[in-house]
Amino acid sequence: MKIEIIVDENAADLEIAVTCRRLTPDVEKLLATLRMTDCQLTAKKGHDIHLLDIAQVIYIESVERKCFIYTSDDVYETGFKLYELEEQLEDYGFLRVSKSFLIHLKSIQSLRADINRRIRITMSNGEQIIASRQYADTLKKRLGVN
């Protein structure tokens, strides 16, 4: 892989060009990572690739080594691992609440104490997600709840 950086003081905007022989999964992942810096996620639904604004995402779930992105309207699949999404989305208001879930804090509707120091989270789409004991304190701290 060859990387070329051109500094041009007269450039109006950041421009990135990717030249490749064919569109491989690695190239798609690279493009998805670049789009994420512009507050978008690349996700698949069927054979179509969609660009999702991060603000649309309610939560992300990992099931059998696949990650699914949930919005109020639909469910999409992404090629990223949950830990990769966690690292990239932390600054955008996302928080890991269990081994399988990454939630958008803006989409929380309510919280309820559950057994064994867990927290039952109701999201804006009505889904309920359990924050495990391991992540419950971090969730409370991020939300400023005692």
Side-chain angles (χ1 to χ4, degrees):
M1 174 168 51
K2 177 183 161 189
I3 298 175
E4 181 179 353
I5 299 174
I6 301 169
V7 178
D8 181 357
E9 293 177 5
N10 298 320
D13 201 3
L14 176 66
E15 182 179 318
I16 298 173
V18 177
T19 306
C20 56
R21 213 172 274 154
R22 59 188 167 83
L23 197 59
T24 65
D26 287 340
V27 173
E28 286 179 355
K29 194 168 188 176
L30 172 68
L31 294 173
T33 302
L34 289 170
R35 284 190 187 99
M36 202 175 293
T37 63
D38 199 28
C39 299
Q40 290 183 327
L41 285 172
T42 303
K44 292 181 182 178
K45 184 171 180 201
H47 297 291
D48 298 330
I49 295 176
H50 297 264
L51 293 178
L52 304 175
D53 287 333
I54 290 176
Q56 292 177 273
V57 178
I58 297 172
Y59 65 92
I60 302 169
E61 179 181 21
S62 175
V63 179
E64 297 177 4
R65 296 187 179 171
K66 292 184 181 181
C67 279
F68 298 94
I69 299 171
Y70 291 80
T71 67
S72 58
D73 301 327
D74 242 320
V75 179
Y76 303 87
E77 186 177 342
T78 181
F80 285 103
K81 304 280 186 230
L82 196 61
Y83 76 89
E84 293 172 322
L85 292 167
E86 178 183 12
E87 290 171 1
Q88 295 170 349
L89 296 174
E90 183 179 18
D91 293 338
Y92 295 100
F94 285 80
L95 181 69
R96 181 86 163 254
V97 294
S98 72
K99 184 175 81 170
S100 305
F101 285 97
L102 185 63
I103 65 168
H104 198 178
L105 296 174
K106 286 187 347 187
S107 298
I108 293 175
Q109 190 173 36
S110 66
L111 302 172
R112 178 184 294 184
D114 207 32
I115 58 171
N116 293 331
R117 291 187 22 238
R118 298 183 305 177
I119 299 173
R120 182 176 302 274
I121 307 163
T122 302
M123 304 303 291
S124 61
N125 64 350
E127 288 290 326
Q128 292 193 350
I129 296 170
I130 301 293
S132 68
R133 290 180 300 177
Q134 179 182 353
Y135 297 94
D137 290 339
T138 306
L139 174 63
K140 287 187 215 178
K141 188 180 283 186
R142 282 282 297 269
L143 294 174
V145 176
N146 291 330

